[in-house]
Amino acid sequence: MAKEQGVDLVEVSPKTVPPVCKIMDYGKYKYQIAKKLQEAKKKQSVVQLKEMKLGLKIDEHDLMFKIKHVRDFLGEDCKVKIIIMFKGREVFRTDIGEKLAQRIIEEIKDVGEPEQKPKFDGRNIVMVFAPL
């Protein structure tokens, strides 16, 4: 019957008794599956995680420059992970690092919200921001 219609005979379930077969155009079937996968990929959105590292003794201009980059990343719908690094004996001055973290939160709050509050991770303070 498949030869008469000019299509393929496809075995759907070979392990059943009797085996189940289907008459269809196999090339067209594979094409439709590929198209469905392609459509699913188009609708899928991938969120990137950008990372910004800051030192504790960062200058005012450098801080504003980094914050500008963070704003740009959040504008592109990327998540941003900000790391404030403590070097050497700076670890004993965690209050300065916490003030810097709060300042960054205040500067960015109009374009992004903190997804993860500032927390210590070894010798670093880590924060994650998500776009609004």
Side-chain angles (χ1 to χ4, degrees):
M1 286 172 53
K3 282 185 181 177
E4 289 173 10
Q5 295 176 9
V7 289
D8 302 314
L9 182 66
V10 179
E11 192 173 28
V12 177
S13 180
K15 294 185 179 178
T16 60
V17 178
V20 178
C21 295
K22 194 173 187 181
I23 297 174
M24 71 165 120
D25 186 357
Y26 190 68
K28 182 178 177 183
Y29 173 73
K30 286 193 59 128
Y31 176 77
Q32 288 172 343
I33 289 177
K35 277 296 194 188
K36 283 182 187 177
L37 287 174
Q38 192 175 16
E39 283 296 318
K41 274 188 179 179
K42 269 188 197 176
K43 293 178 184 175
Q44 179 180 6
S45 66
V46 177
V47 177
Q48 285 188 317
L49 180 67
K50 303 283 188 171
E51 193 172 283
M52 187 68 63
K53 290 186 178 183
L54 308 168
L56 191 61
K57 297 178 186 175
I58 190 165
D59 191 48
E60 178 69 24
H61 177 265
D62 297 333
L63 177 63
M64 296 313 291
F65 191 77
K66 296 248 185 190
I67 288 175
K68 179 179 168 254
H69 280 290
V70 169
R71 290 172 158 275
D72 292 341
F73 292 148
L74 290 171
E76 296 169 3
D77 291 333
C78 296
K79 289 186 180 182
V80 180
K81 180 178 185 180
I82 298 178
I83 301 171
I84 300 172
M85 302 178 296
F86 293 91
K87 299 174 187 152
R89 292 183 1 205
E90 291 176 352
V91 174
F92 300 114
R93 302 302 309 264
T94 57
D95 56 326
I96 297 173
E98 289 170 355
K99 285 181 188 174
L100 180 60
Q102 290 303 319
R103 178 156 179 224
I104 292 170
I105 291 171
E106 290 298 316
E107 294 282 339
I108 298 176
K109 70 180 177 184
D110 60 327
V111 291
E113 59 184 355
E115 191 174 85
Q116 176 183 325
K117 297 287 182 190
K119 70 173 189 173
F120 276 93
D121 183 26
R123 299 177 72 89
N124 303 321
I125 294 178
V126 179
M127 304 178 280
V128 178
F129 289 91
L132 291 177

